[in-house]
Amino acid sequence: MDRHLRENMVIILHINYTQVRAFVRNIFVSAIAAFVLLLNTSFINLRSDKITFTGYFGTQQLMSGKNYYSASRGDSISVDMLRFYVSKVEILQNGHVWGQADYKLIDVFDTASNFLGVDYYGLGPMTELRFYLGIDSTTNMAGVGKNDLDPTKGMYWTWQSGYINLKLEGASKLCKSNRGKYQYHIGGYSYPANALRTVVLKVDRYTGEFNVAVDVEQFFANVDMKETTHVMSPSLKSQGLADQAVKMFSLK
Amino acid sequence: MKRRFFVIGFLCVLLFAFRSADMFIDLPECFGKPVYDFKKSPLTYQRVELGRKLFYDPILSKNNQISCASCHSSYNAFAHIDHDLSHGIYDSIGKRNAPALMNLAWQSSFMWDGAVNHIEVQALAPISNPIEMDESLVNIVAKLQRAQPYPRLFFEAFGDSVITGERVLLSLAQFQLTLISCNSKYDSVMAGTSAFTAQEEIGYNLFRQNCASCHKEPLMSNYEFRNNGLKVDTTLNDYGRVVMTANPKDSLLFKVPTLRNIEYTYPYMHDGRFKTLNQVMNHYTSGIVMYPTLSPELKKPIVLSANDKIDLISFLLTLSDKSFVFNRNFAYPSPNNSSSAPKE
């Protein structure tokens, strides 16, 4: 046989061999993919976990305008408004994020807007719920927002740019102000007045639903309500109140 | 086969082109890359025209008497002529001089003290201020829903007639972003299509020596905050940016305004204390008060002879842009909007 022809044949054989190998590998990979897909459809469903926020004063459920006696403060306190943004809401399993929701304005006194859903594919049980209390600086710098971020929602300062992360308003005889009113509008997105806080809640018993208690008594416990009655701008005071606000949240 | 795909693709593109009634507007690229992200919300003819109508409509104020244009007149480069301090609703007098509006896409903060961080939310400040328009965005949305032809205009601009605060603010911003001034004599000299007179040339050199570090070319401002040595007006006690930042270093700092169209935007300074450019010249040569936060550029005295001042002013007048102040697309909208159709 001609030497050149023999070399050519070797090359052809070689190509055929690699093609066969690729073919077998493809079948193998497809089989694994089909198996995984089968697993997905049968075990790993799209879940939509509902996160509901409920107001409390200690052990009692919080009602708008009702007076609650605080033993630690020695007087009663009422709440007319408790609204706040939660953003970058994440559901985690052992440190790995499975589900995420962008943002939601929560009003604990309005059953139509005291919850949000987080969609994800995954297997339970989830071990952690994590969210920002407020709106991050990127969103604050990005101009006008829509839906829950529309400034008509009453959670945006007009005289100075920035979202109000949390509004807590009501009255108490503890306050030195007119008719004992207090108004805490907590916000501020940039140094040195950044009031954005992260809330991390560990899940003990995963049920596919997260019932978050927002206990205002925890907030009032360390606030000088006599002197601090109106906080309505980004400031050191606002940051102190943001630190207190984080303590309100726990999983029921 | 390939041809068939091509035809189908072409038909899809055609369909899309007809479906979207939006006419997109391209802005002149006068000053390089803008701060505003036009990719995120591209300007459309319908939104700009809606914003223009809103800008001139007193419906934005509580008593339906004050519009944006009440204090920002197109014929004065959108400043408030003859008013040192701007007056708003119920004849209230404000604390500051209404700034001229132009080239806003290149600004990263708004208001004399930088209180506003984005043009889309800027309008909230004058709308809500009790001595300017004293109105809430919630009320404006409610009023616009009942006011013809707004539901139709919102439909044309946004694809449905739902009026939201976001859409009101976005439209106002889109109109104001079109307010671009870069067609002055100065611009044509820089482009090489015209030449300064001998006097303007001397004035330009004086400007570059004494003014250009803050009034940076070509926008004629660095849009930073500076204390330019104005004596505190004790009837106003306006300390500027420090109110926003609570940083003592920001005491008496105000935004450096652009010098473009300065001929039309008198009176001058954040409180409108100077009626003429001559008074401005005299302030910089002999009126500077040495406050601790005084801008470092002003610590060394600026020396200008009487002739220098005249020459400098002659240069400043080359910054006037008649095509801007008399642009019919920026003026009060005609009822049928026909005069302002975009030119293709």
Side-chain angles (χ1 to χ4, degrees):
Chain A
M1 210 181 274
D2 179 56
R3 193 168 58 93
H4 287 287
L5 188 67
R6 221 170 38 216
E7 274 178 9
N8 283 345
M9 274 182 69
V10 168
I11 290 167
I12 289 163
L13 279 172
H14 181 70
I15 288 169
N16 282 345
Y17 176 63
T18 50
Q19 276 175 340
V20 167
R21 210 163 54 171
F23 181 70
V24 171
R25 196 177 54 207
N26 281 345
I27 288 179
F28 190 63
V29 168
S30 308
I32 291 175
F35 182 69
V36 169
L37 208 69
L38 201 75
L39 266 180
N40 261 334
T41 48
S42 51
F43 298 115
I44 309 175
N45 295 320
L46 172 67
R47 310 180 78 104
S48 184
D49 286 3
K50 191 178 176 191
I51 303 165
T52 311
F53 294 84
T54 311
Y56 284 89
F57 197 101
T59 52
Q60 303 174 68
Q61 197 172 332
L62 190 68
M63 309 285 238
S64 174
K66 192 179 161 188
N67 276 312
Y68 295 89
Y69 184 76
S70 165
S72 62
R73 305 307 305 260
D75 218 320
S76 61
I77 301 170
S78 73
V79 177
D80 301 331
M81 182 192 284
L82 177 51
R83 306 174 82 204
F84 51 86
Y85 280 112
V86 292
S87 66
K88 208 182 168 212
V89 183
E90 293 175 332
I91 296 176
L92 299 90
Q93 188 180 52
N94 303 324
H96 179 77
V97 179
W98 283 86
Q100 198 185 48
D102 275 354
Y103 59 85
K104 175 82 188 186
L105 175 57
I106 299 292
D107 183 338
V108 296
F109 294 133
D110 178 6
T111 50
S113 55
N114 68 348
F115 65 90
L116 75 154
V118 178
D119 295 341
Y120 64 96
Y121 284 96
L123 287 162
M126 295 298 148
T127 56
E128 194 180 309
L129 171 66
R130 191 162 73 183
F131 55 86
Y132 282 142
L133 180 59
I135 298 297
D136 68 5
S137 73
T138 310
T139 312
N140 266 294
M141 299 288 284
V144 66
K146 54 178 78 171
N147 303 326
D148 273 3
L149 294 177
D150 191 308
T152 52
K153 298 288 177 186
M155 299 292 281
Y156 196 90
W157 273 307
T158 56
W159 50 278
Q160 180 177 20
S161 296
Y163 284 96
I164 300 164
N165 293 339
L166 182 142
K167 271 189 181 180
L168 178 60
E169 296 182 7
S172 170
K173 284 187 203 134
L174 291 163
C175 302
K176 258 185 12 183
S177 58
N178 179 30
R179 282 180 285 168
K181 292 205 166 196
Y182 66 84
Q183 274 183 307
Y184 302 130
H185 295 182
I186 305 169
Y189 62 89
S190 61
Y191 179 84
N194 189 351
L196 187 72
R197 295 293 181 272
T198 308
V199 176
V200 180
L201 302 172
K202 297 280 179 220
V203 181
D204 288 336
R205 197 164 37 83
Y206 177 72
T207 60
E209 227 174 290
F210 297 85
N211 291 308
V212 182
V214 191
D215 181 3
V216 291
E217 197 179 21
Q218 298 293 324
F219 177 89
F220 295 123
N222 290 305
V223 174
D224 176 13
M225 295 187 71
K226 192 178 164 193
E227 299 297 335
T228 308
T229 58
H230 289 75
V231 175
M232 302 164 87
S233 62
S235 60
L236 267 176
K237 270 189 176 169
S238 201
Q239 290 181 74
L241 295 181
D243 293 334
Q244 295 310 310
V246 170
K247 296 177 185 165
M248 296 194 291
F249 296 88
S250 64
L251 277 173
K252 273 273 168 190
Chain B
M1 194 66 180
K2 254 185 187 167
R3 181 183 277 174
R4 188 185 290 171
F5 273 122
F6 180 76
V7 170
I8 290 171
F10 182 72
L11 284 176
C12 284
V13 168
L14 212 65
L15 197 71
F16 182 75
F18 278 108
R19 266 168 57 94
S20 128
D22 294 338
M23 277 185 274
F24 292 99
I25 294 178
D26 284 325
L27 294 174
E29 288 170 22
C30 297
F31 309 110
K33 193 177 185 293
V35 173
Y36 187 81
D37 185 0
F38 286 103
K39 283 204 186 91
K40 201 185 117 214
S41 48
L43 298 190
T44 70
Y45 172 70
Q46 290 85 346
R47 290 179 190 183
V48 168
E49 278 304 304
L50 172 58
R52 177 184 178 193
K53 190 167 167 59
L54 290 167
F55 187 89
Y56 282 94
D57 197 334
I59 198 168
L60 298 190
S61 64
K62 190 169 196 167
N63 64 0
N64 301 320
Q65 287 182 8
I66 307 288
S67 73
C68 305
S70 301
C71 292
H72 298 284
S73 147
S74 65
Y75 302 107
N76 308 108
F78 295 93
H80 200 181
I81 198 164
D82 276 344
H83 287 279
D84 51 354
L85 303 172
S86 290
H87 61 101
I89 199 162
Y90 325 123
D91 286 337
S92 318
I93 300 295
K95 221 168 148 180
R96 290 178 186 157
N97 180 255
L101 308 180
M102 72 193 84
N103 306 331
L104 301 171
W106 287 270
Q107 284 192 40
S108 56
S109 72
F110 301 87
M111 317 299 275
W112 279 106
D113 52 13
V116 173
N117 69 13
H118 199 287
I119 191 170
E120 289 171 5
V121 289
Q122 190 282 331
L124 278 170
I127 285 171
S128 311
N129 192 329
I131 56 170
E132 291 185 60
M133 298 166 101
D134 194 24
E135 186 56 293
S136 75
L137 193 58
V138 177
N139 264 343
I140 288 171
V141 168
K143 285 197 283 186
L144 291 175
Q145 275 161 350
R146 296 190 302 265
Q148 294 302 331
Y150 280 109
R152 176 172 63 80
L153 296 178
F154 277 84
F155 179 84
E156 286 169 8
F158 294 99
D160 63 64
S161 56
V162 177
I163 300 177
T164 66
E166 185 238 350
R167 288 173 173 184
V168 170
L169 293 174
L170 193 65
S171 306
L172 279 166
Q174 291 220 338
F175 168 62
Q176 292 177 81
L177 286 163
T178 67
L179 306 178
I180 294 177
S181 174
C182 60
N183 197 22
S184 63
K185 179 173 181 183
Y186 162 83
D187 294 298
S188 57
V189 172
M190 291 302 136
T193 56
S194 175
F196 284 137
T197 65
Q199 189 182 30
E200 288 162 358
E201 186 73 43
I202 297 167
Y204 180 51
N205 287 327
L206 287 167
F207 162 80
R208 291 183 58 160
Q209 286 161 31
N210 296 295
C211 321
S213 57
C214 292
H215 296 287
K216 206 175 157 206
E217 295 176 79
L219 284 156
M220 296 298 163
S221 173
N222 56 8
Y223 294 120
E224 289 172 8
F225 300 91
R226 291 285 192 276
N227 175 350
N228 67 339
L230 292 167
K231 192 172 190 305
V232 175
D233 182 333
T234 50
T235 63
L236 298 169
N237 288 315
D238 186 355
Y239 288 84
R241 186 154 171 79
V242 67
V243 180
M244 290 300 132
T245 63
N247 184 347
K249 285 180 184 164
D250 289 334
S251 178
L252 295 172
L253 268 59
F254 294 89
K255 165 105 55 70
V256 176
T258 179
L259 302 182
R260 286 180 173 271
N261 295 303
I262 197 167
E263 180 182 2
Y264 308 114
T265 60
Y266 57 93
Y268 306 110
M269 305 298 153
H270 65 271
D271 53 8
R273 67 177 68 184
F274 300 134
K275 286 191 175 67
T276 66
L277 288 174
N278 254 324
Q279 289 173 314
V280 174
M281 297 293 136
N282 293 339
H283 164 70
Y284 281 112
T285 53
S286 52
I288 300 279
V289 181
M290 293 284 174
Y291 289 110
T293 57
L294 181 71
S295 186
E297 292 89 342
L298 295 173
K299 284 188 174 145
K300 207 177 109 224
I302 292 177
V303 182
L304 295 170
S305 69
N307 277 338
D308 288 345
K309 289 176 189 174
I310 294 166
D311 295 342
L312 187 49
I313 290 171
S314 81
F315 163 71
L316 293 176
L317 298 183
T318 70
L319 298 171
S320 299
D321 180 353
K322 283 204 171 59
S323 71
F324 177 70
V325 290
F326 297 118
N327 189 330
R328 290 179 65 189
N329 289 336
F330 301 156
Y332 191 88
S334 63
N336 57 9
N337 280 354
S338 61
S339 71
S340 53
K343 293 169 207 80
E344 289 299 321

